[in-house]
């Protein structure tokens, strides 16, 4: 059995019993445990370091040692600080348009198409919306078929133009059709590559310019660790997206990417994907993610 962070902190505090107040010296071991937990959860090294500095300042000002369970109190300080850094509160997507246009961006394999399906399913069932899915990945015929299959499964219409290789035209035509058919949300799935490349960025920037989305969501695989942070930065520099979707959190990742991405791009994480099924989508809760990171 691995000790969780709480147990580790409790143990490191046993050494301090009877020493009265917290000092920089006697809290060093405890902070090391906190930093280790963050690194284990795949939080970027620099971020873990500056985070523990902040926690130190908070702990020094408090009477942690006289608490019945100082470990628990430290965990609370760390937990609250983590949740705060990840935004504190959940942030909703903007559904105010008529139709609302949502652009989905990310690398190939990150889970864009699956998320597009999940999001339309969610807003249809929970928000009473009538979404239209748009197959904007014009390079992979399989991606178009995949979206069609998902659409059938969740009973959401899918706009496709087989043979048309111009995502801008497809997106514009889809919005026109949505207006005609009374679809109040248009979710545009776009092409991704295995790595960030200029052509992909130009293409998605052109779609952004043409349709002025209400919401641009960047989808990223939480299992990709540090790469996730770099990719998020590159997409944000080019697209200035509105929110992040972390997928594959049902895997064994501890979710440190959430903290790193938030710290680097300063955009809210809005949803987390927790499986391949259409129902496996949750609104992001900073507090829950903090629990997960701490293990
Ligand atoms: P895209 O290339 O970005 O459109 O990625 P896809 O939506 O095709 O997803 C790539 C693979 O990841 C597929 O096999 C999906 O079933 C899977 N996938 C997507 N989201 C999740 C998730 O939250 N959890 C798990 N376990 N698998 C996911």
């Amino acid at each position: 059995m691995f000790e969780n962070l709480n147990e580790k902190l409790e143990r490191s505090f046993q050494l301090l019993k009877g020493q009265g107040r917290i000092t920089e010296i006697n809290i060093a071991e405890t902070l090391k445990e906190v930093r280790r937990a963050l690194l284990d959860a795949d939080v970027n090294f620099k971020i873990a370091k500056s985070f523990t500095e902040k926690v130190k300042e908070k702990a020094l000002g408090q009477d942690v040692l006289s608490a019945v369970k100082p470990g628990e109190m430290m965990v609370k300080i760390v937990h609250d600080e983590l949740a705060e850094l990840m935004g504190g509160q959940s942030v909703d997507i903007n559904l105010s348009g008529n139709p609302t246009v949502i652009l989905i961006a990310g690398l190939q394999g990150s889970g864009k198409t699956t998320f597009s399906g999940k999001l339309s399913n969610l807003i249809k069932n929970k928000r009473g919306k009538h979404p239209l899915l748009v197959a904007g990945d014009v390079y992979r015929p399989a991606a178009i078929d995949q979206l069609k299959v998902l659409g059938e499964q969740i009973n959401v219409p899918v706009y496709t133009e087989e043979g048309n290789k111009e995502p801008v035209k497809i997106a514009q035509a889809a919005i026109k059709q949505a207006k005609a058919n009374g679809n109040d949300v248009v979710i545009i799935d776009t092409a991704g590559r295995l790595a960030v490349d200029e052509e992909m960025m130009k293409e998605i920037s052109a779609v952004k310019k043409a349709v002025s989305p209400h919401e641009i969501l960047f989808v990223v695989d939480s299992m990709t660790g540090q790469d996730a942070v770099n990719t998020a930065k590159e997409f944000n520099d080019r697209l200035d997206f509105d929110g992040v979707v972390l997928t594959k959190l049902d895997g064994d990742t501890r979710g440190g990417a959430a903290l790193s991405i938030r710290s680097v791009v300063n955009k809210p994480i809005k949803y987390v994907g927790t499986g391949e099924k259409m129902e496996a989508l949750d609104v992001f809760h900073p507090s829950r993610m903090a629990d997960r990171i701490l293990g």
Side-chain angles (χ1 to χ4, degrees):
M1 259 298 274
F2 290 109
E3 273 181 315
N4 66 23
L5 184 67
N6 201 344
E7 287 161 343
K8 283 183 193 157
L9 296 185
E10 204 60 69
R11 186 166 42 76
S12 71
F13 271 111
Q14 289 305 320
L15 308 167
L16 308 179
K17 281 268 157 76
Q19 290 195 32
R21 293 184 46 235
I22 288 224
T23 66
E24 297 231 2
I25 296 166
N26 64 20
I27 204 177
E29 186 60 31
T30 305
L31 291 174
K32 222 186 264 170
E33 294 288 5
V34 171
R35 187 153 68 217
R36 216 171 280 150
L38 295 180
L39 293 175
D40 282 352
D42 226 354
V43 172
N44 171 293
F45 179 77
K46 266 198 217 148
I47 293 165
K49 197 157 178 270
S50 70
F51 180 81
T52 37
E53 281 300 310
K54 260 188 223 149
V55 168
K56 180 166 89 180
E57 279 164 32
K58 278 213 161 166
L60 287 176
Q62 294 191 33
D63 198 4
V64 176
L65 278 184
S66 64
V68 181
K69 294 203 163 167
E72 271 179 19
M73 193 162 162
M74 270 307 283
V75 166
K76 186 174 176 341
I77 293 176
V78 175
H79 173 278
D80 291 354
E81 194 64 27
L82 273 178
E84 199 53 43
L85 261 189
M86 289 188 286
Q89 307 285 325
S90 300
V91 181
D92 198 6
I93 52 169
N94 171 11
L95 288 173
S96 67
N98 192 21
T100 296
V101 177
I102 303 178
L103 188 62
I104 311 296
L107 294 182
Q108 188 177 313
S110 59
K112 281 185 308 301
T113 304
T114 308
F115 171 71
S116 301
K118 287 176 178 178
L119 181 65
S120 37
N121 190 46
L122 184 98
I123 59 176
K124 178 168 85 87
N125 294 333
K126 303 237 164 98
R127 312 285 287 265
K129 297 288 180 186
H130 302 92
L132 174 68
L133 276 166
V134 184
D137 183 349
V138 296
Y139 307 105
R140 291 192 311 135
I144 302 177
D145 291 339
Q146 187 188 350
L147 203 61
K148 277 193 197 159
V149 170
L150 290 180
E152 258 168 50
Q153 204 181 316
I154 56 181
N155 209 6
V156 167
V158 179
Y159 184 88
T160 62
E161 282 188 34
E162 246 124 311
N164 187 341
K165 298 274 183 226
E166 294 181 73
V168 167
K169 297 241 167 79
I170 295 173
Q172 286 170 328
I175 292 169
K176 210 166 158 194
Q177 181 179 302
K179 283 180 183 157
N181 291 355
N183 296 111
D184 45 13
V185 183
V186 179
I187 298 176
I188 307 172
D189 184 21
T190 60
R193 304 282 162 85
L194 291 173
V196 175
D197 76 287
E198 188 53 28
E199 209 181 318
M200 168 180 70
M201 284 301 181
K202 268 194 185 146
E203 181 179 290
I204 194 159
S205 300
V207 176
K208 175 185 173 181
K209 193 157 174 257
V211 303
S212 306
H214 299 81
E215 186 84 29
I216 302 175
L217 294 175
F218 165 69
V219 179
V220 62
D221 179 342
S222 62
M223 311 280 284
T224 56
Q226 289 310 306
D227 283 344
V229 181
N230 300 333
T231 313
K233 189 169 178 333
E234 292 187 75
F235 271 83
N236 193 47
D237 286 348
R238 288 297 289 262
L239 284 179
D240 189 20
F241 54 68
D242 302 290
V244 179
V245 178
L246 265 188
T247 62
K248 309 185 193 181
L249 267 179
D250 48 314
D252 55 10
T253 170
R254 290 274 285 284
L259 180 65
S260 305
I261 290 175
R262 171 79 203 208
S263 307
V264 170
V265 301
N266 198 24
K267 295 285 170 70
I269 295 158
K270 296 196 171 180
Y271 291 103
V272 294
T274 57
E276 299 191 64
K277 295 217 171 79
M278 283 296 98
E279 294 74 31
L281 183 70
D282 290 327
V283 168
F284 177 75
H285 292 286
S287 175
R288 282 188 213 157
M289 187 58 82
D291 286 338
R292 180 180 178 127
I293 290 174
L294 293 178

